[in-house]
Amino acid sequence: EDEVVAAAAEALVFLGSGEGVKVVRERLQDAVAEPGLLRQDVFARFMQLLGVAGKASDHTLLCRAYTGEPGEAAALGFHGHPACVETLLDPLKGRAAEVITGQRGMREAALGLLRITGAPIHAPAQTPHFDFYDVVVDEPTVRVWWEDHSERFDPDLRYRYGQPWTGLHSLAELDGDAVPVWIRRLCSLELGMLLGERPLLTHDFASRQA
C-alpha cells in the first residue's frame, strides 16, 4: 500500500535514515514515467515529502512531476530551490500555460512562488484582517519582480520567503496566527526532520501544541 510506504518513509526521515527519501524518490520517478501509477493524493504526499527532505538536486524531479494538481505546488514551494520558480510561474499564464489549472491550482502556484521568493504579491486587503496567504495570481506582475531580483538567489541554497532557509523559518510559521493546517503539517515535518523527533500533532489544541 502506497500510503503505508509514505508513512514508513516519513518515519525513516525522522530517524535520520536516507532510505526513506530514497524510496520516495524512486516511487516518484516511476510515477512520472508511468502516469496514474500512484493515486493523486499519495502522489502529492510523496512530492511534499521529497520537497521537505530531499536534496537540492531533487528540484529537477519535482518540476518534472508537477502537473498542477492540488498539493503539488506546495512541494516545490517548501523545497525552496530557485529553479522551481519558472515551473510555478507557468500556470499563472492561464490558457497560454503548458500546465493548465483552475483557480485553486493557480493560487497554490502563486503561494509556492511567495514561499520561495518572498515577492510582494499579496492581494489587496478586502477586510480589516490581512491574510498573508492571500496572493495575486497575475503572471506578468510576478515575472517582472522575478526578473528584477532573480540574480540574488543562489542555486546552491534553499529559500523561504526570499531568505536562505533555516529551521527558524518553520518554527516562526508554526507560531503564527491563522496558519492553515496543511502548512502547519509541512512545517512540522521540517522540524521533525531537523530534530530527529516525531512531528507536532498539528490538529491538536494550540495549548497542547505549545
Side-chain angles (χ1 to χ4, degrees):
E1 291 289 340
D2 294 318
E3 288 181 334
V4 176
V5 172
E10 288 182 7
L12 286 168
V13 168
F14 298 137
L15 291 172
S17 170
E19 288 300 311
V21 176
K22 180 181 177 182
V23 168
V24 168
R25 188 180 294 116
E26 291 172 350
R27 289 293 181 103
L28 275 178
Q29 289 170 337
D30 291 343
V32 169
E34 187 179 342
L37 184 64
L38 293 175
R39 203 173 68 213
Q40 178 54 42
D41 59 327
V42 177
F43 184 77
R45 184 176 178 184
F46 278 141
M47 283 187 66
Q48 290 174 4
L49 183 55
L50 187 64
V52 168
K55 301 183 297 185
S57 59
D58 284 319
H59 75 269
T60 302
L61 175 57
L62 289 170
C63 290
R64 285 177 53 216
Y66 177 71
T67 65
E69 292 294 327
E72 294 180 359
L76 277 65
F78 270 83
H79 188 60
H81 197 287
C84 296
V85 170
E86 286 296 332
T87 299
L88 292 171
L89 275 170
D90 177 65
L92 301 192
K93 297 176 183 177
R95 293 185 178 180
E98 293 183 12
V99 177
I100 305 296
T101 71
Q103 284 298 313
R104 176 180 175 181
M106 294 173 70
R107 185 177 181 279
E108 287 190 3
L111 188 56
L113 288 166
L114 172 66
R115 184 168 295 280
I116 297 172
T117 67
I121 57 174
H122 293 98
Q126 302 296 322
T127 68
H129 303 289
F130 173 68
D131 182 358
F132 180 77
Y133 301 103
D134 190 10
V135 289
V136 172
V137 295
D138 179 55
E139 191 266 348
T141 298
V142 185
R143 183 170 292 280
V144 167
W145 186 94
W146 178 241
E147 289 175 352
D148 289 341
H149 296 83
S150 59
E151 290 186 357
R152 70 177 176 84
F153 286 79
D154 187 336
D156 293 325
L157 296 178
R158 176 185 181 192
Y159 285 86
R160 183 65 48 87
Y161 299 122
Q163 301 295 325
W165 177 80
T166 72
L168 293 177
H169 287 100
S170 307
L171 186 61
E173 198 156 14
L174 280 169
D175 194 43
D177 295 329
V179 179
V181 171
W182 68 269
I183 292 178
R184 294 179 61 83
R185 182 182 68 81
L186 291 175
C187 289
S188 175
L189 284 175
E190 288 181 318
L191 285 181
M193 175 187 68
L194 285 175
L195 301 175
E197 298 179 358
R198 67 175 179 82
L200 298 171
L201 299 177
T202 52
H203 287 77
D204 207 344
F205 288 109
S207 59
R208 294 178 182 171
Q209 293 179 37

